[in-house]
Amino acid sequence: QSVLTQPPSASGTPGQRVTISCSGSSSNVGTNTANWYQHLPGTAPKLLIYGNDQRPSGVPDRFSGSKSGTSASLAISGLQSEDEADYYCAAWDDSLNGYVFGTGTKVTVL
Amino acid sequence: EVHLLESGGRLVQPGGSLRLSCSASDFTLSSYAMSWVRQAPGKGLEWVSALSAGSGTTFYAHSVKGRFTLSRDISKNTLFLQMNGLRAEDTALYYCARRQLGRSYSFDFWGQGTLVTVSS
């Protein structure tokens, strides 16, 4: 049972902007940085955003992250068909002394 | 190029044991914190265990504590996950992941995964 809550699904048409929320607590997102991963089941997850709002080299600037208090958000602007995937937020949790993933959001491009 | 290759996954009976390996290429394993993350069929990502850089302090998810042991062999540049007392709910694709350097706890490189199936 995850301690980071995300909406189960999100969708948009090509070119639209989609936002995914991640609700945590003071022991994880509230204290430590939020990170986002893109995942197609059966393949290696990909780091999209780290340190709340930093993009690794090679990640398009269509992807952006933000954090406010105990919540984080991932925005995908200019949605493309290849963005169809599962998205997870994650952070270290000081109370659990472990890493926690969000419940995951499936993004569909209509 | 950085590469992580997991192996060791197979079908095992409940209560059985298994050792997963994660072979690292193009970087020194002991200089980075490493983790195992799993995905059960139809479920989300779940962090399993971590081993810190340097000292090699280990951390475990509550669901596996006391049953799984994480270790590394520096000479082989390989990470191991010893899994004992396996249960049906441990059935999953297990990924090895490298924590990137810096303040943010995030995984910059992942393997392709090795499948563990616990069933009689």
Side-chain angles (χ1 to χ4, degrees), chain A residues 3 6 9 12-13 23 26 37 44-45 53 55 60 64 71 81 87 108:
Chain A
V3 299
Q6 299 176 231
S9 63
T13 56
S23 178
S26 58
Y37 300 89
D53 56 10
R55 275 187 312 276
S64 61
S71 294
S81 57
Y87 293 82
T108 303

Side-chain angles (χ1 to χ4, degrees), chain B residues 3 11 14-16 19-21 29 32 36-37 44 47 51 60 67 72 82 85 96 98 102 110-111 113:
Chain B
H3 190 62
L11 174 64
R19 189 176 82 156
L20 304 184
S21 300
L29 196 75
Y32 289 80
W36 287 92
V37 175
W47 173 82
L51 186 144
Y60 300 94
R67 300 187 299 124
R72 68 188 175 203
Q82 178 66 41
C96 169
R98 186 184 86 166
W110 298 66

Side-chain angles (χ1 to χ4, degrees), chain A residues 84-100:
Chain A
E84 275 209 346
D86 298 323
Y87 293 82
Y88 295 87
C89 62
W92 184 264
D93 189 296
D94 290 341
S95 293
L96 296 174
N97 218 16
Y99 201 65
V100 289

